[in-house]
């Protein structure tokens, strides 16, 4: 098992991020591991406070900023295994927005894992008829958008 390494978070004195994706506070003279909260998109975040202001931070970005060099100043952090809750440093990498969008399409294991999974955030599976209707609606929408541009 890998040992946990902690680094202080820039601009947030008393807060630390670990290479395993955990956040701790040493404020108020005791050490507390902060509770993660899920965003609507499924990412883990925590609230950090600097003086009197609080701000939500995505844990994967905190880990990447602390442990992964970014010499090209790439803007996004990718979860290599596509698990948004797996924030250990070995599962993260910096990349461009385009690379991040295309990542799942090129990762065949992820595509196979997604088959049979719920098709929306609420976990409701869509019927084939509903999928056809949605597809037709999207086709019409993009056809009309393209038509607007050319006119």
């Amino acid at each position: 098992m890998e040992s946990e390494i902690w680094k202080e978070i820039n601009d947030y004195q008393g807060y630390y991020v670990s290479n395993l994706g955990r956040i701790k506070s040493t404020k108020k003279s005791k050490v507390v591991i902060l509770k993660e909260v899920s965003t609507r998109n499924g990412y883990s975040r925590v609230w950090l406070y600097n003086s009197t202001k609080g701000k939500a931070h995505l844990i994967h970005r905190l880990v990447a900023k602390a442990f992964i060099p970014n010499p090209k100043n790439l803007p996004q952090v990718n979860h290599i295994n596509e698990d948004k809750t797996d924030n250990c440093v070995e599962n993260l990498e910096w990349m461009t927005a385009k690379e991040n969008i295309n990542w799942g399409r090129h990762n065949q294991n992820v595509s196979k894992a997604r088959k049979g999974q719920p098709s929306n955030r609420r976990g409701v599976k869509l019927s084939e008829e509903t999928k056809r209707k949605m597809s037709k609606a999207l086709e019409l929408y993009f056809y009309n958008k393209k038509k607007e541009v050319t006119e």
Side-chain angles (χ1 to χ4, degrees):
M1 184 171 178
E2 184 180 348
S3 64
E4 194 162 20
I5 301 165
W6 294 92
K7 290 188 178 182
E8 190 163 22
I9 299 171
N10 290 339
D11 301 324
Y12 290 93
Q13 186 177 3
Y15 288 101
Y16 296 82
V17 59
S18 87
N19 59 324
L20 302 180
R22 298 193 314 156
I23 311 296
K24 74 178 176 181
S25 169
T26 59
K27 293 182 170 232
K28 301 180 183 177
S29 69
K30 68 179 189 176
V31 177
V32 176
I33 302 294
L34 300 183
K35 182 180 177 186
E36 299 175 13
V37 177
S38 287
T39 66
R40 282 182 266 159
N41 303 11
Y43 294 99
S44 299
R45 72 175 179 196
V46 291
W47 279 88
L48 303 179
Y49 296 87
N50 189 352
S51 62
T52 58
K53 292 184 178 181
K55 184 177 176 185
H57 292 269
L58 296 170
I59 293 175
H60 66 285
R61 290 194 60 82
L62 293 172
V63 173
K65 286 178 182 178
F67 292 97
I68 304 172
N70 189 7
K72 293 181 180 178
N73 202 25
L74 298 171
Q76 293 190 4
V77 179
N78 178 48
H79 288 85
I80 296 168
N81 69 3
E82 293 288 317
D83 180 354
K84 296 176 184 179
T85 62
D86 183 355
N87 295 309
C88 69
V89 71
E90 291 83 13
N91 186 43
L92 303 175
E93 62 184 344
W94 290 102
M95 60 176 39
T96 66
K98 184 177 180 178
E99 290 170 331
N100 205 0
I101 288 168
N102 291 327
W103 176 254
R105 293 179 192 164
H106 298 297
N107 186 343
Q108 291 179 356
N109 293 332
V110 173
S111 297
K112 289 177 185 174
R114 286 184 178 161
K115 288 182 180 175
Q117 293 297 315
S119 355
N120 61 34
R121 286 189 203 132
R122 291 189 176 90
V124 177
K125 289 187 179 181
L126 302 176
S127 70
E128 291 303 314
E129 181 182 353
T130 302
K131 288 178 188 177
R132 276 194 299 277
K133 287 179 182 177
M134 290 173 70
S135 178
K136 186 66 176 173
L138 283 171
E139 284 177 26
L140 287 171
Y141 172 79
F142 286 112
Y143 172 78
N144 288 333
K145 281 288 185 191
K146 186 177 180 182
K147 192 174 176 183
E148 286 174 13
V149 171
T150 58
E151 290 178 349

